Amino acid sequence: AQSVAQPEDQVNVAEGNPLTVKCTYSVSGNPYLFWYVQYPNRGLQFLLKYITGDNLVKGSYGFEAEFNKSQTSFHLKKPSALVSDSALYFCAVRDVNSYQLIWGAGTKLIIKP
Amino acid sequence: EPEVTQTPSHQVTQMGQEVILRCVPISNHLYFYWYRQILGQKVEFLVSFYNNEISEKSEIFDDQFSVERPDGSNFTLKIRSTKLEDSAMYFCASSVRQGVGYTFGSGTRLTVV
């Protein structure tokens, strides 16, 4: 069965430090991978996606993610965290047999000043 | 930037009542979706809709649920005879192509009492 795992419920980072939010996936075939962010009382905002091409994908708000096929990972990264990056981050993969998104449980990112 | 609009933002209903959640997708998008997120749990796919018919639905989307595009702009989710366990955040999304480039709305928080 296809699945997405976000092993950390919460990640704490000091402002200005680099951040990483982890995501691993399990799919048969080539994955379509996504990161979304959810701010309090807001919807799911698209950050970036990997479909094909370069393994390093750049997205909104200075975020990037690296697709690693051998480790089946798609970790979200940012070189220098901002307090405003504090939010809930979701990794998702598109089901290869359909078009629905399969979601991770989410990781709460807290950036401290 | 074009947005997916959902109304209402919060709806409280009594168990057994019918509710209609409304969504206005982005105007040039052709594919429409509903997802839900029960508090503290993963985002779950409910249904996708294209060309005025359901293209895919999950096990969650049983006879209690229905979707409709009544007038070419709105996309609605109807839940008949609501149950306590239907309490969740319901997200509408749309895309130009199937399964890629989702834009999500801000969600409707449904509380069944």
Side-chain angles (χ1 to χ4, degrees), chain B residues 30-74:
Chain B
L30 302 175
Y31 298 87
F32 314 112
Y33 315 85
W34 284 100
Y35 283 79
R36 79 172 184 188
Q37 183 184 27
I38 295 172
L39 186 64
Q41 298 186 23
K42 291 186 179 184
V43 179
E44 302 170 295
F45 170 78
L46 291 177
V47 65
S48 61
F49 190 87
Y50 170 72
N51 200 26
N52 285 320
E53 61 182 28
I54 291 173
S55 51
E56 188 180 357
K57 63 181 181 179
S58 71
E59 293 176 351
I60 302 168
F61 194 88
D62 59 21
D63 292 342
Q64 184 193 7
F65 295 88
S66 62
V67 289
E68 192 178 29
R69 189 157 162 80
D71 56 13
S73 62
N74 290 284

Side-chain angles (χ1 to χ4, degrees), chain A residues 36 90 94 98-101, chain B residues 35 37 42 56 98-99 102:
Chain A
Y36 284 84
F90 290 95
R94 198 187 87 178
S98 73
Y99 295 95
Q100 61 179 279
L101 292 180
Chain B
Y35 283 79
Q37 183 184 27
K42 291 186 179 184
E56 188 180 357
Q98 192 169 13
Y102 286 77

Side-chain angles (χ1 to χ4, degrees), chain A residues 38-96:
Chain A
Q38 185 180 27
Y39 296 99
N41 300 315
R42 301 285 297 277
L44 295 160
Q45 296 182 35
F46 172 78
L47 278 180
L48 49 80
K49 68 178 183 285
Y50 172 83
I51 296 176
T52 187
D54 288 342
N55 290 341
L56 185 63
V57 179
K58 294 189 183 296
S60 306
Y61 313 119
F63 283 92
E64 59 189 28
E66 186 167 13
F67 170 63
N68 188 317
K69 189 172 184 177
S70 62
Q71 296 184 3
T72 61
S73 67
F74 189 57
H75 300 332
L76 181 70
K77 299 181 180 183
K78 187 172 182 180
S80 179
L82 301 172
V83 173
S84 57
D85 293 329
S86 299
L88 191 55
Y89 289 80
F90 290 95
C91 181
V93 63
R94 198 187 87 178
D95 188 312
V96 297

